[in-house]
Amino acid sequence: MRVALFITCVNDTLFPGTGKAVVSLLRRLGCEVDFPAAQTCCGQMHVNTGYRDEGVRLARHFTEVFAGYDAVVAPSGSCAAMVREQYPKLVRPGSRGATAVAEVAPKVHELSEFLIDVLKVDDVGAYFPHRVTYHPTCHSLRGLHLGDRPTRLLQNVRGLELVELPAAQECCGFGGTFAVKNPAVSAAMGADKVRNVLGTGAEVLCAADNSCLMHIGGTLNRQRTGVRIMHLAEILAATEEAQ
Amino acid sequence: MSAREEILAKVRRAVAGAPETSVPRGYRMSNQVSDLVGLFAERVDDYRAVVHVVPAAEVPGRLAELVGERRMIVPEGLPADWPRGIGGTSVAELDAADGVLTGCAVAIAETGTIVLDTGPGQGRRAQTLVPDYHLCVVRADQIVSGVPEAVARLDPARPLTWISGPSATSDIELNRVEGVHGPRTLEVVIST
Amino acid sequence: MSSTFLGMPGSFPKNAAKAVQNSQLRYNLRKATHTIRGKRANVVGELPDWQELRAAGKAIKDETLRHLDRYLVQMEEAVTRAGGHVHWARDADEANRIVGELIKATGETEVVKVKSMATQEIGLNEALAAQGVTAYETDLAELIVQLGDDFPSHILVPAIHRNRAEIREIFLDKMEKVPEGLTDEPRALAEAARLHLRERFLKSKVAISGANFMVAETGTLVVLESEGNGRMCLTLPETLISVVGIEKLLPAWRDLEVFLQLLPRSSTGERMNPYTSMWTGSVEGQDFHLVLLDNGRTDVLADEVGRQALRCIRCSACLNVCPVYERAGGHAYGSVYPGPIGAILTPQLRGMSSELDASLPYASSLCGACFEACPVAIDIPEVLVDLRAKVRHKPAERAGMRVAGWILNDQVRLAKAQRLATRFRKLVPKRLPGPLSAWTDTRDLPDIPEESFRDWWERNERA
């Protein structure tokens, strides 16, 4: 199967390792991966901060770049939710933009959705001998309704001990520009999330969104906790041979 | 332009061209409950009201026991063999009484609710409010399974009071405690 | 005399920053909201048809709003037919004037009140005070707020920010007759409130209420409550004046079968609240007046996205599940409508010209917990995002977002920006200057990688 990787601007710029992990994972599972070079950003930051015109331009760009692919995979619940849930609200019903969105949006999958729903695998043959806890990010949980897809994948990783995160469904406090517009509340939410993470005794905090992980991880680092953050793709890409 | 005309005009302008809607009613209109009396008794008990399930023939005797020495308000329209009460409709008289004995219009098993509609044997609304003790008799055939059936049985032209347990408040740390302004004790006799 | 929020200075981030430092407040709110979350989840989980009820609730409210003109007229006719009087108020001033005149006609100078969001919204107590009328709040939490000369901080439990010890202090300080040896047991505090208000209930001639629902078909008003203070006010006084927002209508009597399931379970987390009163027109000889209040609602109705906020039945489930509300508290929102629903309702009712009101649409991480909990499916995140697009942005932010948009809209520009960041990656300070210090005050920045993904792909895969 030929799939297009939508890396997302945050991963592209700050977390290239996640992109490399997606490529190696999908190839291991027999996919042909393409990276449309013209891709940039889904427009979520602009739309959600109140800059709809800029956001709509980016959305238009996205639908042009990814038109014609059978499947688009994004290692981000938040960006996938933006395309699938919010794009249809940005366009006028019956407009050309609406047609373009209706064409592309349903083909955009968050990574764990793509693995389980499209490729029909919940054991990707990974090996990761560590104690891991998983934070379901808000947009993957309540936007995409990923349910237990990510944890099913993690449970089937050889050597991995998955420990439950208390109050897992609570927002970490990132929220895009919320983190800088309401820093006090954002930090208080992050501190509570970190406390819960530390309580699990996990070595690694995993999630399907690097943006949230950047916020929680930034707090974990500032507190010198020693807990690492890892994107779901990076754990699923890890194999025994690679260790 | 009057306030009425202005508000109505603004509403009409605001919704002009808005899409029409239809209401999906896919929820349960009634529930399969094998033991209505049992469920109702359990749910009333959950509110920390006192519940007695009593065969119809024994109700007068049991009421007499429960009333005991209390000076009760007993509205008109109740069976002749039930305890006699004192009259009273003024606030002062009601405040001086020890309690009130009534029947009801309908009861809801799923929510443990009693509804009064000021019909025979239920008195005016103040009569079931001011006295601190409310003894209410529910006939088994008055119990319905859920809210939709109760709404269908009631007459909106009558003043209605839905009662689910004794008066209570959750205003202190969102914890429910019983006993504020309404009757602090609710005792329910289910006549079977 | 409780205070009013109107003209409150500050902004949500500033107010919230102060609130999160208040550990007592944080503790009280956390305890209360987590208690109610558990209760709500239990009683909602008990109903197998919750989602069907929710869909029906949403649709019934949409139908009400779509033909609000028709239902208002129908309501007016039904109430009038049943011996009641209907008044229409365009705004707060008009409503306050109508209520003041009605009270004046009775010759009374004291009135008792059932907890009502609409009368808080219009500042009725303050307006009546200016006309020489004292309004006594009778709901326990409202009483705590009123006695403490405080602001409400929650829709359902306005004194949620106070714990039992603080409530005891307020009672000892402000009540005329306090039972001897008053402890901070909730039962004892409730008993103190009973004694404090009993006499007033029994002698009051005029009461003021709101309503949870009005049924257009029958002219019936519905008030849900717990303590019995509502029944006291609605039943005993000779005159009853109800001030109700025009969006509180339901088309038909049977629609109550939906809302009497949705509201108690969403709000206090009970299968049913202790008392619900329903009355139609003038009952048992009482003189009844209904004041239909607009006060900005028709403007909200005109907004295609924002009008869904008018579906709100004031259950406060969205507050109880909101991580931002839990930490910032209700006062930070500077409105009688705090929390997620307040963040979309207040800016629509009041406009966004003040710094505070313009900051409210941003008082959310868009986590979506509110939407999930809402019994009438108000997509609060959607409305927040829509309002953010209508806020007047600060020039510096606007410029920054324009530049970011320009860079992100083109792969070449994006790649250049990435390479620039990569080249100077060692020079990025641990603490950023200006508004970005908001990030680095509590969090480390991620390391900027040696190479962006697109450059890596170009180098390894494109060849």
Side-chain angles (χ1 to χ4, degrees), chain C residues 163-239:
Chain C
N163 65 22
R164 56 185 74 187
E166 295 169 287
I167 294 167
R168 175 175 174 268
E169 287 303 313
I170 293 169
F171 281 10
L172 288 175
D173 208 30
K174 297 286 173 67
M175 271 185 184
E176 282 161 26
K177 280 182 285 182
V178 188
E180 257 182 60
L182 179 69
T183 67
D184 64 3
E185 271 302 302
R187 197 172 298 279
L189 296 169
E191 173 68 20
R194 178 185 169 94
L195 289 171
H196 175 73
L197 287 170
R198 183 83 183 171
E199 213 174 312
R200 188 165 301 288
F201 280 136
L202 301 187
K203 69 172 193 206
S204 284
K205 300 274 186 262
V206 181
I208 296 169
S209 84
N212 295 96
F213 306 105
M214 306 187 280
V215 180
E217 178 185 36
T218 59
T220 310
L221 274 85
V222 184
V223 167
L224 282 72
E225 52 132 354
S226 296
E227 297 163 15
N229 64 308
R231 292 177 69 192
M232 289 282 181
C233 294
L234 300 171
T235 311
L236 300 184
E238 292 160 7
T239 303

Side-chain angles (χ1 to χ4, degrees), chain C residues 2 84 163 204 245 280 360 363 372 430-431 447:
Chain C
S2 67
N163 65 22
S204 284
T280 302
L360 289 177
E372 205 174 60
K430 280 276 168 230
R431 306 272 173 151
D447 293 329

Side-chain angles (χ1 to χ4, degrees), chain C residues 355-419:
Chain C
E355 189 191 358
L356 176 67
D357 293 340
S359 71
L360 289 177
Y362 293 94
S364 166
S365 64
L366 304 180
C367 86
C370 48
F371 179 29
E372 205 174 60
C374 178
V376 286
I378 301 170
D379 191 340
I380 293 177
E382 180 189 22
V383 182
L384 286 168
V385 167
D386 191 63
L387 287 170
R388 288 176 186 189
K390 293 169 181 160
V391 169
R392 187 196 299 270
H393 300 112
K394 295 200 172 103
E397 182 192 283
R398 167 158 290 283
M401 292 299 272
R402 280 222 177 108
V403 172
W406 180 75
I407 292 170
L408 285 171
N409 203 18
D410 179 88
Q411 65 194 46
V412 178
R413 290 196 288 264
L414 175 58
K416 277 185 184 158
Q418 286 168 335
R419 282 180 211 125

